[in-house]
Amino acid sequence: MPPAPPRENPGTASAAVPPQPAAPPAARAGREPGQGTGAEPGFEEDSHPTLLLRAVAPRPHPLRIVAVVVALVLGAGLLGGAAAGAWLTGDSADSAARAAFDDSRALWRDLPVDELFPPELHSEGAGPGGAERRWLRVAVAPDSDCATALGEDLAGALLSGVGCERAVRASYVDDTVTSVTTVGMVFTDADPAATEALAERFATGGLGLRADLMPATYPGPGTAAETFGAAQRATWTVRVLTDAPVIVYAVTGFADGRTADAPQAATEAVADGQDTVVALAGLGHEAMGVADRVERTIRQAADRFTEEHG
């Protein structure tokens, strides 16, 4: 009998002959590798699905919460402060306007006469057809009560409910000494609301067109205006200012003392197509021009006085 093969040492067999790799598992029927649902390309679908967990936001840090609350509080405070500031600013503006309105009531006493009634008035377009006009002051009346300055009838119709602080007036002639004009300012006791109501009543009631409500004249003794009396009044204008407790008026006639048979309101005398004596002589333009200049000076003085005295 042939000799038996030598017995191998169990401890060296695996090192001498490497093991054969196991055969790959058979692919599943009908599916190529990497075509499992949701699998990455080149990988088979895992037959043991894993549990997908939803991401949970980390809890905010307490300091962050405090910062958000502080920001909200500060934002609300800023908004509230802005609203309060706007309210206070508006209230301050109203108070300043009311103070300026009240301060202008004393301008007749606080301003020099040359500011109230300048020695010379000038306008480049106040005459008929836009002609240049110039007027010279010839007389200034002492301050007086309103009934004396305006006349009883006009004072009764105009000042009801507004009272009278004081009245000032002066007389002017044009540079050819053809016309004479008395211009005046009445300072009332009215507040802004009463002043607005007076202006509305005067305008809608047509009081400025009534010849029986013409203002009084100031015939300065020894001047070119000394013959300017009630019978010489030919035209007039009356303005109720609303930004100050002041009424500005002017009344005009011929400087030679002739009487006016048919007085006409200045607003009518300056209208196109008028052929009355007053209109043709340009007296309506004289009254309007002098009143405009004096109204402008009192407005400028009020603005300057307000700025200087806060």
Side-chain angles (χ1 to χ4, degrees):
M1 293 184 62
R7 298 179 63 183
E8 293 182 0
N9 188 348
T12 61
S14 60
V17 182
Q20 294 297 322
R28 296 179 183 175
R31 180 179 299 176
E32 296 293 333
Q35 292 183 347
T37 58
E40 294 291 335
F43 292 89
E44 292 186 1
E45 180 181 2
D46 190 357
S47 60
H48 302 286
T50 57
L51 186 62
L52 298 178
L53 299 179
R54 184 178 57 183
V56 179
R59 297 182 61 185
H61 195 282
L63 291 179
R64 182 174 297 178
I65 297 176
V66 172
V68 172
V69 173
V70 170
L72 291 175
V73 172
L74 290 177
L78 290 174
L79 291 176
W87 180 81
L88 291 174
T89 301
D91 186 63
S92 298
D94 292 341
S95 299
R98 178 58 188 269
F101 184 93
D102 291 337
D103 288 344
S104 63
R105 201 187 315 278
L107 289 177
W108 68 270
R109 181 182 62 245
D110 296 333
L111 293 178
V113 66
D114 286 350
E115 290 195 47
L116 290 171
F117 301 110
E120 181 177 321
L121 300 175
H122 180 267
S123 174
E124 295 182 355
E132 181 179 352
R133 304 299 294 156
R134 187 168 71 103
W135 302 273
L136 304 175
R137 191 185 70 196
V138 296
V140 178
D143 60 277
S144 62
D145 62 273
C146 294
T148 299
L150 291 174
E152 294 288 346
D153 293 338
L154 180 57
L158 189 60
L159 301 179
S160 176
V162 298
C164 175
E165 176 72 19
R166 208 63 177 162
V168 292
R169 51 190 173 148
S171 290
Y172 288 80
V173 295
D174 70 311
D175 54 2
T176 64
V177 196
T178 300
S179 66
V180 57
T181 300
T182 293
V183 60
M185 288 178 283
V186 175
F187 295 81
T188 74
D189 295 323
D191 60 14
T195 299
E196 291 278 358
L198 172 61
E200 178 71 16
R201 177 168 59 86
F202 194 77
T204 58
L207 300 182
L209 302 177
R210 289 173 48 179
D212 61 321
L213 297 180
M214 278 192 296
T217 67
Y218 178 62
T223 71
E226 65 180 348
T227 61
F228 187 36
Q232 284 71 40
R233 296 176 297 177
T235 188
W236 72 99
T237 181
V238 180
R239 293 97 175 269
V240 180
L241 308 187
T242 56
D243 54 350
V246 180
I247 300 168
V248 177
Y249 69 90
V251 56
T252 301
F254 290 104
D256 59 6
R258 78 183 75 173
T259 60
D261 297 329
Q264 185 180 28
T267 52
E268 295 179 340
V270 300
D272 293 337
Q274 290 290 316
D275 59 357
T276 63
V277 172
V278 173
L280 295 177
L283 296 182
H285 290 86
E286 301 291 319
M288 297 282 282
V290 173
D292 287 343
R293 299 290 123 2
V294 170
E295 179 181 337
R296 180 180 299 176
T297 61
I298 195 63
R299 289 185 186 277
Q300 292 174 344
D303 292 341
R304 185 173 62 255
F305 188 84
T306 300
E307 292 176 359
E308 292 174 354
H309 295 78

